[in-house]
Every structure is written in structure tokens, then in C-alpha cells.
Amino acid sequence: MFRRRSDEAPSSATALAEQDAAPQSRDPQAKKGRPTPKRSEAEASRRTRVTVPKDRKEAAKQSRERLRAEREKQREALLNGDERALPARDKGPVRKFARDYMDSRWSVAEFFLPFAVVILVLSVLRVGTLQLLSTLLFLIFLILVVVDFVRLGLGLRRALNNRFPNENSRGAVMYGLMRNLQLRRLRLPKPQVKRGEHP
């Protein structure tokens, strides 16, 4: 009987020492700071948890699959306009506003590529008048694009300063102008506003 107590004493002492060494758990009355996940969500996350690969080949395969899944998710987000899964360069309210600002306006620059193809065809033809005309038209169109860029760039900068005075809008104007060079139907993320529908 006495022997049993003496045997239990060291074990209880070590248990107390381990408790002291362990980090203090949070107060049971305090909030967690996040909602408790549903059982189905917890089970799904356990099921999809990445297992540690056994060799380098398996690790590379898992990495490729993960990257492919991320790219697919980003592609769908670009098509649907889902803000949560967009690439880093397209995320945020500033970039969204820049996209909407450009998509809601007509511009000369968006017709640059089709016009360049027409000019190229005219310049290839071995007719001196047509070649001269193509060069003249290209110069006129280039001047119009530059003027249009200045107009839209200044307007976007002013609108960003009014809408987001305390946020970093660095690079947003160039982002909007580069988007403007593409035909509307080819833009990614897809336009979310109609022409004339100002954001």
C-alpha cells in the first residue's frame, strides 16, 4: 500500500512538471477569433490534407498538380470575375475600379491591333500610293492613341485620387491603360460593367 503511493508520487510530479512546461492554454471564456468549422468542412480538410511525399519524384508530381489546380482556379476567376481567386496583379478594390473605369469607356486604343493589321496589309501591297497612305494613316492613328491615353490616364488618376485617397494606387493607371489596348471581348478579367455605365 505504501509502496504504491511512493510509485505514484514521481509520476504525478512529472505530470505537474510537464504541465508547467506546456504553453498556457487560452482562457475558456475568451473568444477564439474565428468561427468553429462544421464537421463536414473539418472532415473534408482532413481528407484533402497533403500527405508528405516519400521521394522527390512524388513531391514534384504533387507540386505540379497543385500548381495546375491553382492555375485552373485563377483562369475561372478571370472568366467569372471572382475577386477571391484572381492573380495578385488583378486583386484589390483599386485594380477593380481601374478595370471598370476603362471598360465603361470607348477608346481609340482598343482598336489598335485590328487597325495595325489593316495597315500591314496595305503596306505589303506593291502600290506606292497605298504604301504612302498606310504610313500616313498609321501616324495619324498613333497620334490619336497617344492623345486618348493621356485623356484616359489623367481621368483615371483623378478618379482614383477621389475614390481612394488613402490607398496606394501605384501602377493602377498603367494597369488600366494596358488593359485598354486589348479588344473588350478579349480582356481578362472579363468586363463587369457595360459601356457608359460609370463605376
Side-chain angles (χ1 to χ4, degrees), residues 93-95 97-98 159-169:
V94 174
R95 295 296 170 107
F97 180 79
L160 284 170
N161 288 338
N162 291 339
R163 183 72 65 94
F164 306 101
N166 300 321
E167 288 197 41
N168 182 18
S169 60

Side-chain angles (χ1 to χ4, degrees), residues 63-171:
S63 176
R64 278 196 305 273
E65 286 173 1
R66 204 165 41 249
L67 285 171
R68 192 180 300 121
E70 284 175 14
R71 277 197 302 268
E72 183 61 28
K73 191 189 285 186
Q74 283 186 354
R75 191 182 73 80
E76 286 177 9
L78 288 169
L79 292 173
N80 302 331
D82 183 10
E83 187 74 20
R84 293 167 299 173
L86 286 175
R89 71 183 177 88
D90 297 311
K91 275 187 178 175
V94 174
R95 295 296 170 107
K96 184 180 183 332
F97 180 79
R99 287 196 303 272
D100 292 346
Y101 184 91
M102 290 300 175
D103 293 338
S104 66
R105 286 159 172 78
W106 287 95
S107 70
V108 181
E110 69 182 283
F111 301 107
F112 180 77
L113 288 176
F115 191 79
V117 170
V118 172
I119 296 298
L120 186 65
V121 170
L122 287 175
S123 64
V124 167
L125 297 173
R126 298 190 176 210
V127 180
T129 313
L130 287 177
Q131 286 181 338
L132 185 64
L133 181 66
S134 68
T135 306
L136 188 63
L137 284 173
F138 186 74
L139 284 172
I140 291 169
F141 192 76
L142 201 61
I143 291 167
L144 287 173
V145 167
V146 170
V147 170
D148 200 38
F149 259 36
V150 170
R151 177 183 67 87
L152 286 169
L154 291 174
L156 178 57
R157 186 180 300 280
R158 192 164 46 248
L160 284 170
N161 288 338
N162 291 339
R163 183 72 65 94
F164 306 101
N166 300 321
E167 288 197 41
N168 182 18
S169 60
R170 186 179 177 185

